[in-house]
Amino acid sequence: MRGLGGEVRGNVRIIASTVPALYILPALLANFHIVYPDVTFSIRASDTAEVVAEVSNHKADIGFAGSVVHESKCDFIPFVDERLVLIAPRDSALSPDKPYPLGEILCEQGFIARERGSGTRSEYEKFFAQQNVASDGIRTVASVDSTQAIINAVRYGLGVAIVSQIAAAESLGRGEVKDIKLQCELPVRKIYTVINHNVAHSYLIKLLVEHIQRQKKACI
């Protein structure tokens, strides 16, 4: 009722996968806070599987996930698109100008994977299957639960990785890692706003969802 009367206040519980939590939401929420300064946020970063579970179990008001997980209680609203990129250490013998076969890279280079439950991992594993790359042929050197930790590991020479272009942009721009081309282009994936449609959402939550959908083009 306070919201309907023009006074918007309250706390929003947000859970988001790594890329939106670190690289997209900060600017969006800051803009929202300028208009509604009495609104506060409780933000937690996790993987896509937990994002959906927390929203489904009413432990978060709104979530942001990197893939659709089949959950009857949740709606997945397309938020933004992002491209996946293959990155390698800057002193790697791999040429940034030569397109490589995907299977050759994954079988011959040390591959740094995301943890199970990650939206990024789910997307690239589906792509590997489409390209007939067997998982048991991939030379995995580490499994990491943080996109930024993976980028740093690539930077220091641990191996190659497939990560969000949004997340890798700064390291690529500084020349700390390099973008490796493939003969088959890596997919563009969607990031989704996740809402539990079995819950009667407050005016504040509806307002925030509308704000996110309006501002999504400006967040990349």
Side-chain angles (χ1 to χ4, degrees), residues 4 12 99 192 198:
L4 294 173
V12 182
Y192 299 88
N198 288 343

Side-chain angles (χ1 to χ4, degrees), residues 5 9 41 43 48 57 84 110 135-136 141 150 152 187 189 199:
R9 64 172 64 243
F41 306 99
I43 307 167
T48 287
N57 294 321
L84 299 178
S135 59
D136 57 2
V141 295
I150 288 177
N152 287 338
R189 72 162 185 168
V199 174

Side-chain angles (χ1 to χ4, degrees), residues 34-200:
I34 290 171
V35 181
Y36 304 106
D38 292 326
V39 174
T40 59
F41 306 99
S42 300
I43 307 167
R44 191 157 63 87
S46 190
D47 60 35
T48 287
E50 187 172 3
V51 167
V52 177
E54 293 284 280
V55 173
S56 177
N57 294 321
H58 316 294
K59 294 181 179 179
D61 300 308
I62 185 171
F64 298 89
S67 63
V68 173
V69 176
H70 295 293
E71 167 51 66
S72 60
K73 296 179 183 178
C74 293
D75 290 329
F76 292 78
I77 306 167
F79 176 29
V80 293
D81 293 340
E82 64 156 352
R83 180 171 295 283
L84 299 178
V85 293
L86 175 70
I87 59 172
R90 63 181 178 184
D91 59 355
S92 166
L94 295 170
S95 169
D97 301 317
K98 173 187 173 182
Y100 291 89
L102 175 65
E104 177 184 315
I105 292 290
L106 296 176
C107 295
E108 295 182 4
Q109 304 291 321
F111 182 66
I112 307 168
R114 276 300 301 268
E115 84 288 0
R116 296 192 182 279
S118 156
T120 299
R121 178 165 177 159
S122 174
E123 291 301 309
Y124 70 59
E125 284 186 339
K126 285 188 289 186
F127 182 70
F128 293 171
Q130 292 167 1
Q131 300 299 320
N132 297 315
V133 175
S135 59
D136 57 2
I138 299 172
R139 193 162 71 88
T140 302
V141 295
S143 178
V144 183
D145 65 358
S146 160
T147 298
Q148 191 57 53
I150 288 177
I151 294 170
N152 287 338
V154 173
R155 176 185 171 191
Y156 287 108
L158 181 59
V160 301
I162 293 174
V163 296
S164 158
Q165 188 177 46
I166 299 170
E170 287 189 10
S171 289
L172 286 167
R174 292 193 293 261
E176 295 169 346
V177 298
K178 56 187 178 183
D179 185 354
I180 302 301
K181 296 182 177 63
L182 294 171
Q183 291 177 356
C184 51
E185 192 169 341
L186 284 166
V188 174
R189 72 162 185 168
K190 292 187 180 296
I191 293 175
Y192 299 88
T193 302
V194 185
I195 292 291
N196 188 324
H197 59 236
N198 288 343
V199 174

